[in-house]
Amino acid sequence: QVQLVESGGGLVQAGGSLRLSCAASGVIFSNYAMGWYRQAPGKQRELVAGITTDGTTNYADSVKGRFTISRDNAKNTVYLQMNSLNPEDTAVYYCNGIGRRDASSTYYPRWGSWGQGTQVTVSS
């Protein structure tokens, strides 16, 4: 069974940066596309960044140009470098694999289990 452990969140002022990490175990990490998801208070969880097995990256429009996702298959770890943070980025951030896509191009997580997430709070 997959286990996901996120870290690196914190409180930062607007314009600041954070680097999140997610360590995965229980799966052959290199076989899976990975993503960072976030859930803000009162909102649904959304995929904000994804990276395929060959390193191709994609981003939600809201974070494009500010966030960078990367992976280290030797360490079974996926990262999210977040720059130019703003209060709208405040959320709990989770990693998971990227699963199926529906007709509206919504991507679903690969696994049903989630880690504890890491809280990111951006003050104005």
Side-chain angles (χ1 to χ4, degrees):
Q1 183 175 351
V2 64
Q3 290 188 325
L4 304 164
V5 180
E6 300 92 349
S7 62
L11 173 64
V12 63
Q13 289 188 331
S17 298
L18 285 172
R19 189 190 193 211
L20 308 183
S21 299
C22 170
S25 60
V27 294
I28 302 175
F29 179 78
S30 59
N31 285 356
Y32 296 96
M34 294 296 296
W36 279 97
Y37 302 74
R38 70 184 181 186
Q39 187 166 21
K43 295 187 177 181
Q44 288 190 334
R45 194 172 300 181
E46 62 173 343
L47 177 65
V48 296
I51 185 166
T52 65
T53 55
D54 65 1
T56 302
T57 58
N58 284 284
Y59 301 92
D61 288 343
S62 58
V63 307
K64 199 171 295 183
R66 300 187 299 120
F67 290 11
T68 302
I69 188 172
S70 61
R71 66 190 299 161
D72 185 338
N73 289 338
K75 297 182 178 180
N76 288 359
T77 300
V78 60
Y79 304 97
L80 188 67
Q81 177 67 43
M82 306 187 295
N83 299 328
S84 302
L85 286 161
N86 59 61
E88 290 69 40
D89 296 316
T90 295
V92 180
Y93 285 71
Y94 304 86
C95 73
N96 203 306
I98 297 178
R100 67 179 182 87
R101 182 180 65 178
D102 66 15
S104 65
S105 296
T106 297
Y107 284 90
Y108 291 84
R110 178 65 177 81
W111 300 297
S113 61
W114 295 85
Q116 81 289 350
T118 187
Q119 175 71 48
V120 172
T121 303
V122 185
S123 62
S124 57

